[in-house]
Amino acid sequence: MPTLSLYTTGSPQILQGTGWSLWVALHDAAAADAQQDTIGCRLKAHTTSNYWGYLVRGMGCWDTSVLGASATIVGARLKVPGYRAANSFASSPLIGVYKASPASQPTIALADWDTYGILISDEISLADVPTATGSYQIFTLTQAGLDWINKTGYTSLALLFDWDYDNSPPTWEANKEADYPSWSYTATRFEIDYAPFFPHSFGVIID
């Protein structure tokens, strides 16, 4: 069974909200304040009580049209290169892959800040991700994730902390931070196991 290994179409992005504000204003903002060519997620507390410095969401887009409408997808994984995983909060967030629907695929823009959907992979604690250069954290897509893959166009995915998706931040502590960046956004890969479609052929055998 073949495996399709894809790099992103364009650069995956982190979208960063920098409100220095209460959680609801930062989380529910209409757009991000900045973006950068990398992938990961991050949360930092401000020094002012119950204010937050910034929140980061990762997002990428892959051209999965090479599969074709008739292909049967049997498995898929997002492989994110290790680099650094830091957390000084009392609790540790879970990281997962979520649906994403940026407005102008394959471009990721500031206005795509809130275009993520439901969780479509397994989750891993930030405390358990590999960080050595050359290592990968592999997120395995669930059936909902396999169903999300667009066999005739682009597939977009988001990388989030569960704190962010659940709209439930950790207990505020001044200057505390949780950070999961990738060491190489160009090495982030989307792997899809599939069975290609082969049309049946019929023949006549004459004895």
Side-chain angles (χ1 to χ4, degrees):
M1 184 171 297
T3 296
L4 180 65
S5 184
L6 298 171
Y7 296 102
T8 53
T9 303
S11 299
Q13 299 287 313
I14 57 167
L15 298 176
Q16 180 170 305
T18 52
W20 304 102
S21 59
L22 294 172
W23 172 261
V24 66
L26 183 59
H27 181 271
D28 297 345
D33 299 306
Q35 64 188 106
Q36 182 180 344
D37 291 350
T38 186
I39 194 162
C41 35
R42 195 174 186 186
L43 176 64
K44 182 176 177 63
H46 191 26
T47 54
T48 303
S49 180
N50 291 317
Y51 275 65
W52 300 88
Y54 48 76
L55 174 65
V56 168
R57 299 165 180 166
M59 194 172 293
C61 185
W62 288 261
D63 184 356
T64 46
S65 62
V66 68
L67 290 166
S70 299
T72 300
I73 298 173
V74 297
R77 300 160 297 283
L78 183 66
K79 299 180 68 174
V80 180
Y83 171 55
R84 182 177 72 249
N87 180 37
S88 53
F89 288 103
S91 60
S92 183
L94 297 176
I95 308 165
V97 177
Y98 294 76
K99 291 182 178 181
S101 303
S104 301
Q105 296 182 111
T107 303
I108 308 298
L110 296 178
D112 295 318
W113 172 251
D114 63 349
T115 60
Y116 60 89
I118 64 170
L119 177 69
I120 54 173
S121 78
D122 56 359
E123 293 178 290
I124 186 168
S125 171
L126 179 60
D128 296 330
V129 299
T131 56
T133 298
S135 65
Y136 282 87
Q137 174 56 49
I138 300 174
F139 296 93
T140 301
L141 268 61
T142 61
Q143 185 59 51
L146 303 187
D147 294 341
W148 177 245
I149 296 171
N150 184 353
K151 293 183 285 186
T152 59
Y154 293 111
T155 299
S156 293
L157 304 172
L159 198 65
L160 303 177
F161 287 149
D162 63 332
W163 293 335
D164 187 6
Y165 178 76
D166 294 339
N167 197 12
S168 180
T171 301
W172 177 91
E173 300 173 79
N175 282 327
K176 299 296 184 180
E177 181 177 10
D179 189 13
Y180 177 53
S182 164
W183 64 264
S184 173
Y185 68 86
T186 58
T188 299
R189 297 205 304 270
F190 189 25
E191 295 184 344
I192 304 170
D193 305 322
Y194 70 102
F197 174 74
F198 298 106
H200 294 288
S201 58
F202 299 92
V204 177
I205 300 175
I206 301 176
D207 294 327

